[in-house]
Amino acid sequence: MSEESNPTQRTYEHLILSCIHQSSLVDAQWVHRHLHENGFDQDPFLATKLINMYSSLDLIDDARKVFDKTRKRTIYIMTTLVDMYAKFGCVAYASAVFNQMAVKNVVSWSAMIACYAKNGKAFEALKLFREMMLKTEEDVGPNSVTMVSVLQACAALAALEQGKLIHGYILRNGLDTILPVISALVTMYARCGKLEVAQQVFDGMDKRDVVSWNSLISGFGAHGHGKKAIDIFKDMISCGISPSPVSFVSLLGACSHAGLVDEGRALFQAMRKEYGIIPSVEHYASMVDLLGRANKLEEAAKFIDDMRIEPGPKVWGSLLGSSRIHCNVEFAERASTKLFQLEPANAGNYVLLADTYAEAGKWDEVKRVKKLLESRGLQKVPGRSWIEVKRQIHSFVSTDEFNPQIEQLHALLCELSSEMKEKGYVPQIKVVLYDLGEEEKERIVLGHSEKLALAFGLINTSNAEPIRITKNLRLCEDCHSFTKFISKFARKEILVRDVNRFHHFRDGVCSCGDYW
DNA sequence: GTAGGGTTAG
């Protein structure tokens, strides 16, 4: 009673925490008002909590107002704000706050690096990390938390050499016993194409939790080793580790990449029945992807109709992606109608629909969708590929005229193309979804960013060294076929990570078995 | 006493 009439900081803290827990806006506003009336809103400790409260209610403007009104801005409040902007994807705001900080410690640096790493700004994450390494202040030296975000950035870029340097730093500083660090290392090596090393790091762990296992499962899955991923899952179970919802997303993804439809269906059932895990939108989306890729679009659509929860954009996006692969106009239209309502600003959905129409020869419809895209002020994301050579990442886009080596690369590709054609390579010009002549189409496919990166790799790597390329979109059929030929006739091992999975080309064959 | 981190994914 005395506490209520004379509320203390601790009481307010608990009230705020309970608002977060119940996610109640009305209570949150009441607590804030009460706190203000009693002169507690200048308390930096409580201001931090208030920002967390509004942030948990998705009210970032209200959170910002709390910050703006707080006169004493501790090095804690500002980091909380950086983190809040990071979680809402407002990278520019996060960095503005970070730059305003007079004193930065390891936590604030780590928060900003994590912000970049989580929001698709891996280059910026690595750049900030390098800047941090140059600081001599105490309490600015990177620790295990920093390492995790830096490893994520290396994984995103497939920056193997950078990642190895970080691994060395981790070993020298005794951070190699910390579970999150090792899991991030396993993921980094797997996503850089070094599955054997990922396995070695995993094998070297003396303690493993479900996340460590999930890292390995998803790694094998992305490389197309579906059966192996299932075996790893079984090993995990026999080690007495309970699977998490993420374990099943990874497993279903592994089945999808390998075309293991029956195994995927069985796992989806077992998830609920044997492990008591209620399927979430991600699981449904993975199942739709598994069925759709296997050209079981009717079953995928029925699966959506039977869902016990509302199908979100991920689920419809999976159906649209599969419809695009199999050029099924009916299902592409059904999925995109939903998607244009659910996420009108996602340019990728318009592109997938337009591409489906184009492949079906419905050029009027293609024009209609492209106009719709433009009228909403959206743009197609350009295809981009990159390759790491001598610790340096080189990035390519097909329209890049400023690259100093571009003429040399084009010349090499032309030469290779004619040679390959004599050996049976047929350019898959149908992937060019514009109403153009054959020669023009052939010129376009030869300029795809992945081929530019490949040519760059052929020039700049030694014979024994495999070429490792990363790309932001799905690998096109022509690049796939071209790369298979090159791997045989240039006797070169080539590893391509596209947006979904790995393709390992060796002696004219790809590890995906042409199923991707 | 308050702040940062691992596994999915298209």
Side-chain angles (χ1 to χ4, degrees):
Chain A
M1 185 64 199
S2 67
E3 265 199 359
E4 274 178 27
S5 53
N6 183 18
T8 61
Q9 194 191 46
R10 170 114 11 233
T11 310
Y12 278 125
E13 184 194 357
H14 285 299
L15 282 170
I16 292 169
L17 291 176
S18 109
C19 291
I20 293 172
H21 185 68
Q22 295 172 16
S23 56
S24 158
L25 172 62
V26 181
D27 290 341
Q29 286 168 332
W30 181 85
V31 170
H32 190 179
R33 205 162 46 237
H34 205 278
L35 197 135
H36 172 71
E37 283 161 6
N38 288 280
F40 273 89
D41 57 348
Q42 282 301 325
D43 180 330
F45 174 86
L46 289 174
T48 306
K49 296 284 171 192
L50 279 176
I51 290 172
N52 278 330
M53 177 183 79
Y54 281 121
S55 158
S56 77
L57 291 163
D58 293 353
L59 298 167
I60 56 175
D61 291 336
D62 292 84
R64 178 72 197 210
K65 276 180 207 154
V66 172
F67 172 76
D68 287 339
K69 285 184 182 159
T70 307
R71 285 186 293 273
K72 197 175 170 203
R73 293 174 184 180
T74 57
I75 43 169
Y76 288 102
I77 294 182
M78 294 186 88
T79 305
T80 303
L81 207 61
V82 169
D83 188 48
M84 176 189 79
Y85 282 130
K87 291 201 167 108
F88 287 89
C90 310
V91 181
Y93 283 99
S95 81
V97 175
F98 178 75
N99 289 330
Q100 278 170 30
M101 296 178 78
V103 186
K104 302 180 177 100
N105 65 10
V106 58
V107 182
S108 34
W109 282 92
S110 303
M112 194 61 224
I113 292 170
C115 173
Y116 284 132
K118 280 226 160 73
N119 287 288
K121 309 259 177 207
F123 276 114
E124 286 84 348
L126 292 182
K127 188 164 165 268
L128 196 65
F129 173 66
R130 273 183 226 117
E131 217 179 291
M132 179 184 186
M133 293 290 270
L134 297 174
K135 298 282 163 190
T136 49
E137 291 96 321
E138 252 182 76
D139 197 22
V140 175
N143 60 18
S144 67
V145 182
T146 328
M147 288 304 132
V148 169
S149 293
V150 174
L151 286 171
Q152 283 177 333
C154 294
L157 296 169
L160 178 63
E161 295 307 319
Q162 303 255 1
K164 281 189 197 162
L165 287 180
I166 305 296
H167 191 174
Y169 184 92
I170 286 166
L171 292 171
R172 285 193 301 278
N173 289 278
L175 302 173
D176 59 325
T177 54
I178 297 166
L179 278 180
V181 173
I182 310 295
S183 300
L185 264 178
V186 170
T187 301
M188 186 275 291
Y189 279 116
R191 296 201 66 200
C192 286
K194 289 283 181 186
L195 199 51
E196 331 77 64
V197 185
Q199 174 88 62
Q200 281 164 20
V201 172
F202 178 86
D203 290 343
M205 299 174 79
D206 47 15
K207 216 172 73 182
R208 303 179 184 111
D209 65 3
V210 66
V211 180
S212 342
W213 286 94
N214 290 348
S215 306
L216 198 66
I217 290 171
S218 68
F220 275 90
H223 283 265
H225 304 298
K227 290 225 158 77
K228 174 77 180 165
I230 296 173
D231 286 343
I232 296 168
F233 172 74
K234 287 179 183 161
D235 286 347
M236 175 179 93
I237 299 297
S238 60
C239 286
I241 306 279
S242 301
S244 70
V246 173
S247 311
F248 286 96
V249 179
S250 309
L251 276 171
L252 293 172
C255 291
S256 177
H257 295 314
L260 302 175
V261 178
D262 293 337
E263 288 85 344
R265 283 199 200 99
L267 282 164
F268 189 82
Q269 294 299 323
M271 170 172 73
R272 199 199 299 260
K273 288 186 183 146
E274 283 177 46
Y275 302 100
I277 294 174
I278 310 290
S280 69
V281 170
E282 284 80 7
H283 298 107
Y284 285 107
S286 296
M287 274 305 286
V288 170
D289 186 65
L290 170 73
L291 297 168
R293 269 175 210 269
N295 206 5
K296 298 180 187 299
L297 288 161
E298 293 276 356
E299 188 181 341
K302 182 164 186 313
F303 189 83
I304 297 178
D305 291 338
D306 293 344
M307 276 176 65
R308 299 184 189 191
I309 53 174
E310 194 60 37
K314 280 181 185 166
V315 175
W316 291 114
S318 292
L319 187 65
L320 177 59
S322 302
S323 307
R324 163 69 195 97
I325 292 171
H326 298 294
C327 188
N328 188 312
V329 172
E330 182 200 336
F331 287 113
E333 283 176 342
R334 199 196 289 188
S336 54
T337 304
K338 295 282 183 185
L339 285 164
F340 293 164
Q341 292 164 6
L342 292 169
E343 38 175 39
N346 185 338
N349 298 328
Y350 300 82
V351 176
L352 284 171
L353 179 63
D355 286 356
T356 312
Y357 281 136
E359 197 170 335
K362 300 186 176 232
W363 297 103
D364 287 344
E365 296 296 313
V366 175
K367 269 183 209 154
R368 184 179 62 81
V369 178
K370 286 191 174 168
K371 268 191 188 145
L372 190 62
L373 182 76
E374 279 166 31
S375 73
R376 298 191 174 173
L378 303 171
Q379 270 186 335
K380 185 175 174 168
V381 178
R384 184 178 288 279
S385 301
W386 59 94
I387 180 169
E388 188 189 42
V389 173
K390 298 183 184 75
R391 287 184 197 162
Q392 198 76 41
I393 308 253
H394 301 264
S395 166
F396 298 89
V397 280
S398 62
T399 50
D400 198 348
E401 286 155 23
F402 301 106
N403 188 304
Q405 275 185 297
I406 198 75
E407 284 187 16
Q408 193 191 352
L409 299 179
H410 278 308
L412 176 61
L413 286 169
C414 277
E415 197 185 308
L416 287 171
S417 177
S418 358
E419 267 181 55
M420 294 300 117
K421 276 196 229 165
E422 279 172 26
K423 302 200 159 129
Y425 160 67
V426 182
Q428 303 284 307
I429 54 171
K430 64 168 193 188
V431 304
V432 182
L433 301 170
Y434 301 101
D435 222 349
L436 299 168
E438 287 199 8
E439 261 182 44
E440 183 65 0
K441 284 190 179 185
E442 210 174 308
R443 200 185 60 79
I444 290 178
V445 291
L446 203 56
H448 277 178
S449 67
E450 195 241 310
K451 294 197 187 72
L452 296 175
L454 180 59
F456 185 86
L458 287 169
I459 295 171
N460 293 294
T461 56
S462 69
N463 278 342
E465 212 180 334
I467 293 177
R468 295 177 307 111
I469 295 170
T470 307
K471 139 170 211 78
N472 67 340
L473 302 173
R474 186 174 174 270
L475 198 50
C476 92
E477 276 176 60
D478 185 63
C479 287
H480 197 265
S481 151
F482 189 85
T483 312
K484 281 203 289 189
F485 271 92
I486 296 288
S487 74
K488 179 161 187 169
F489 294 105
R491 295 207 188 133
K492 196 77 176 162
E493 195 177 330
I494 303 159
L495 210 58
V496 181
R497 187 182 93 192
D498 77 6
V499 69
N500 293 321
R501 59 165 298 153
F502 277 89
H503 298 263
H504 202 148
F505 299 91
R506 208 180 308 182
D507 201 25
V509 182
C510 179
S511 64
C512 78
D514 302 337
Y515 181 88
W516 83 99

